[in-house]
Amino acid sequence: DAGVIQSPRHEVTEMGQEVTLRCKPISGHNSLFWYRQTMMRGLELLIYFNNNVPIDDSGMPEDRFSAKMPNASFSTLKIQPSEPRDSAVYFCASSPGLESPLHFGNGTRLTVT
Amino acid sequence: AQTVTQSQPEMSVQEAETVTLSCTYDTSESNYYLFWYKQPPSRQMILVIRQEAYKQQNATENRFSVNFQKAAKSFSLKISDSQLGDTAMYFCAFGNNAGNMLTFGGGTRLMVKP
């Protein structure tokens, strides 16, 4: 089991550019979560999917953020346009069901200059 | 909305000693889950221990155990026989009755000294 795989591990981009973060959940896991970690706000849930369907996106900070899960093995988090305040570590996590513990990926450190 | 508070930003312990990390939470729900996650410098979030609120018995995983006080809404983590590899950020988290929509505390940075 390779675990939850996120790419890229690091991303540096300029303000105004589009950024796409990618996540491959553990095979067989049908719940997927995107979290953001910053020094100021800690770990925040952005959005979660169950069986590829977005269930709760109330944590998405604004319309510049969007997330998709086109199939059970892939999800993206897109920021367009990016701003310096989006700099953070973005984690993807998956679980086999809503009552099972989360398995986190290694995160993507995003720096927007 | 739930809140999770970790009142100790930083702690240190000597190798082989025991340390307890504090966590309190606030919720109006009766059924929920509580977790402790470890984040070493590698950045990975690793599940340390999990407690179901309906279980009175405190969870234990090897050197890690919890003291769950439901009435006081307290959920502390005890690490026995601390090892250098325990050095990390530790996050307490609350999960709703579905278990894995997590609200995290601000974290405690633990340093284990040789």
Side-chain angles (χ1 to χ4, degrees):
Chain A
D1 184 353
V4 176
I5 299 173
Q6 290 187 247
S7 64
R9 184 156 174 81
H10 303 278
E11 176 78 39
V12 180
T13 191
E14 293 184 347
M15 184 174 65
Q17 296 298 305
E18 176 180 298
V19 176
T20 299
L21 311 181
R22 296 173 175 79
C23 175
K24 176 179 170 57
I26 293 172
S27 177
H29 285 196
N30 57 13
S31 295
L32 183 140
F33 300 76
W34 283 99
Y35 281 85
R36 178 171 70 174
Q37 184 178 29
T38 62
M39 289 294 293
M40 292 298 295
R41 301 176 66 89
L43 279 151
E44 305 171 280
L45 176 65
L46 299 178
I47 185 171
Y48 87 93
F49 296 83
N50 194 44
N51 293 322
N52 311 339
V53 176
I55 304 298
D56 188 338
D57 65 354
S58 59
M60 297 285 264
E62 46 196 279
D63 291 346
R64 298 184 297 107
F65 286 69
S66 63
K68 295 182 180 180
M69 192 166 186
N71 57 62
S73 59
F74 184 65
S75 177
T76 60
L77 177 67
K78 184 180 293 186
I79 308 172
Q80 166 63 16
S82 58
E83 297 182 3
R85 60 195 170 114
D86 301 331
S87 297
V89 178
Y90 291 82
F91 286 100
C92 176
S94 70
S95 75
L98 288 179
E99 294 190 358
S100 302
L102 294 185
H103 298 257
F104 282 82
N106 287 336
T108 295
R109 179 177 294 281
L110 173 65
T111 302
V112 183
T113 60
Chain B
Q2 294 79 24
T3 59
V4 179
T5 302
Q6 294 178 247
S7 59
Q8 306 150 315
E10 293 186 358
M11 294 192 71
S12 63
V13 63
Q14 292 295 131
E15 193 175 9
E17 297 292 306
T18 295
V19 64
T20 299
L21 309 183
S22 300
C23 173
T24 59
Y25 59 94
D26 191 21
T27 183
S28 58
E29 297 185 23
S30 58
N31 190 29
Y32 49 87
Y33 298 80
L34 295 163
F35 306 83
W36 279 97
Y37 277 87
K38 169 185 178 181
Q39 187 178 39
S42 66
R43 197 169 76 201
Q44 187 180 8
M45 293 288 288
I46 302 167
L47 177 64
V48 174
I49 202 164
R50 177 191 190 212
Q51 173 85 41
E52 292 92 339
Y54 63 86
K55 290 187 176 179
Q56 293 186 343
Q57 185 173 9
N58 289 324
T60 299
E61 288 288 342
N62 300 314
R63 297 183 295 107
F64 299 88
S65 62
V66 299
N67 183 6
F68 174 46
Q69 301 289 329
K70 190 172 184 178
K73 297 180 180 175
S74 170
F75 182 62
S76 60
L77 174 70
K78 185 171 80 172
I79 306 174
S80 304
D81 186 25
S82 297
Q83 300 176 0
L84 297 179
D86 295 334
T87 293
M89 283 288 289
Y90 286 81
F91 292 95
C92 178
F94 175 101
N96 64 359
N97 58 8
N100 56 15
M101 282 186 63
L102 300 182
T103 300
F104 285 89
T108 295
R109 184 177 303 277
L110 175 67
M111 173 74 71
V112 180
K113 299 179 178 179

